[in-house]
Amino acid sequence: MEGLNKTANMQFFFRPFSPDPEVQMLIFVAFLMMYLTSLSGNATIAVIVQTNHSLHTPMYFFLANLAVLEIFYTSSIAPLALANLLSMGKTPISITGCGTQMFFFVFMGGADCVLIAVMAYDRFIAICHPLQYSLIMSCSLCVELLVGSLVLGFLLSLPLTILIFHLPFCHNDEIYHFYCDMPAVMHLACADTRVHKTALYIISFIVLSIPLSLISISYVFIVVAILRIRSAEGRQRAFSTCSSHILVVLLQYGCTSFIYLSPSSSYSSETGQVISVVYTFITPILNPLIYSMRNKELKDALRKALRKFWAG
């Protein structure tokens, strides 16, 4: 009981990126700029899609919801990370707070991965079955696919978080990371974590490999269908729409696979921090940039909105 009480009352601290306050301040400014850019970019996409009736199609419905997910995903990490950068790692987080952050991060991240796979299915139907597209991708199906993504993210996140926070944390209270990431938190446990690491690996493999396999299969059919399009303009438009999605897939799945599917013996806290910056701060910035730069309808809608804003 004494050990359980000690664990329940425990507080964690995050190791600073650097012992030099000036370096920490530079990193703080960089993180703050990335966070604000991510918030503004994703919020702009969500608002533009919501307010522009010409964009009320399944593709943009999923894109807008991906943008909203990215906002919550980054916001589960950024505020505490920024506070710790300013305080040189002296801002504590309770074990309950750490578990809550971990739950929402994995919940949003898992839903994000599934939703990206749903977007690949949407492109597959649009390009391979264009005449049946409006019939298949009905409004009700789009909502069901979105809700399904959130439910799967929730069901994957909850048991993992509960499993990890049933571990005793007796000694070291410094997390070698800038947020409560699963491998970094398990590293502090004073108990055998082999079962927990195996569970994390299996769930990570399911979350990453199954959607990635579905995306890959979809794109095999998509590429074949695009190559059959006779007009060069049609092929270019189809490739432009799909290439932006492929870039997002490579960024999201590549970085998360490196962290969660690498052997635990090769886990490095320094490498984990750097790679995590990519998919917690940089990828949410690139998503709206990639989609807006490579999507004519979205660019046109953005230009119209800006003209109205400046005119008004």
Side-chain angles (χ1 to χ4, degrees):
M1 283 298 294
E2 187 181 345
L4 287 171
N5 288 335
K6 189 174 180 181
T7 298
N9 297 323
M10 193 171 183
Q11 288 187 320
F12 292 122
F13 294 85
F14 298 97
R15 173 175 281 195
F17 279 87
S18 169
D20 187 341
E22 291 185 1
V23 174
Q24 283 283 104
M25 184 53 69
L26 286 173
I27 297 171
F28 169 81
V29 172
F31 273 34
L32 180 61
M33 294 304 294
M34 287 190 290
Y35 179 49
L36 293 176
T37 304
S38 169
L39 284 182
S40 58
N42 284 294
T44 299
I45 283 186
V47 170
I48 290 292
V49 171
Q50 178 64 31
T51 56
N52 198 306
H53 291 288
S54 65
L55 300 180
H56 288 183
T57 63
M59 182 177 81
Y60 293 108
F61 171 79
F62 294 128
L63 180 56
N65 281 284
L66 179 67
V68 172
L69 269 181
E70 295 283 17
I71 290 171
F72 285 108
Y73 174 71
T74 313
S75 296
S76 67
I77 301 298
L80 187 61
L82 291 168
N84 272 283
L85 283 164
L86 277 180
S87 67
M88 291 294 293
K90 292 176 183 175
T91 302
I93 184 171
S94 67
I95 197 161
T96 304
C98 192
T100 303
Q101 185 188 59
M102 183 183 290
F103 167 76
F104 279 105
F105 174 72
V106 178
F107 173 26
M108 296 299 163
D112 201 306
C113 287
V114 177
L115 189 58
I116 289 172
V118 168
M119 291 172 75
Y121 173 72
D122 171 69
R123 291 299 83 208
F124 163 72
I125 299 297
I127 292 170
C128 298
H129 304 283
L131 299 177
Q132 298 170 296
Y133 180 71
S134 58
L135 186 65
I136 296 172
M137 297 303 294
S138 63
C139 183
S140 59
L141 179 63
C142 291
V143 172
E144 286 168 8
L145 289 170
L146 173 63
V147 172
S149 301
L150 293 170
V151 169
L152 282 172
F154 178 85
L155 292 176
L156 291 166
S157 177
L158 188 63
L160 259 183
T161 306
I162 291 171
L163 186 67
I164 289 172
F165 281 92
H166 267 77
L167 286 166
F169 300 95
C170 310
H171 307 296
N172 192 1
D173 62 354
E174 186 180 50
I175 299 174
Y176 292 7
H177 218 303
F178 59 91
Y179 67 94
C180 290
D181 194 23
M182 289 184 173
V185 172
M186 280 194 291
H187 191 69
L188 303 184
C190 52
D192 186 356
T193 59
R194 282 178 294 182
V195 172
H196 303 74
K197 287 176 180 175
T198 302
L200 175 59
Y201 185 88
I202 291 170
I203 291 177
S204 299
F205 183 79
I206 291 168
V207 171
L208 294 169
S209 65
I210 293 178
L212 189 57
S213 299
L214 294 173
I215 291 168
S216 302
I217 292 167
S218 295
Y219 273 99
V220 168
F221 287 105
I222 286 170
V223 170
V224 171
I226 289 173
L227 293 175
R228 287 176 180 167
I229 297 173
R230 292 184 179 180
S231 71
E233 185 182 347
R235 283 197 302 270
Q236 185 179 0
R237 185 176 179 182
F239 269 122
S240 179
T241 303
C242 295
S243 61
S244 57
H245 186 257
I246 291 169
L247 284 170
V248 171
V249 169
L250 292 174
L251 283 168
Q252 186 75 19
Y253 284 86
C255 293
T256 48
S257 296
F258 185 88
I259 295 294
Y260 295 105
L261 297 183
S262 297
S264 57
S265 58
S266 66
Y267 178 78
S268 161
S269 57
E270 291 80 10
T271 305
Q273 276 192 326
V274 173
I275 299 296
S276 296
V277 169
V278 175
Y279 65 79
T280 55
F281 281 92
I282 297 174
T283 303
I285 294 172
L286 293 177
N287 283 356
L289 285 175
I290 288 168
Y291 279 114
S292 60
M293 284 190 300
R294 301 191 67 85
N295 193 293
K296 187 178 181 300
E297 289 91 348
L298 199 58
K299 282 194 288 187
D300 290 343
L302 186 57
R303 285 194 198 100
K304 286 177 185 176
L306 287 172
R307 279 199 294 268
K308 281 183 182 178
F309 175 79
W310 291 114

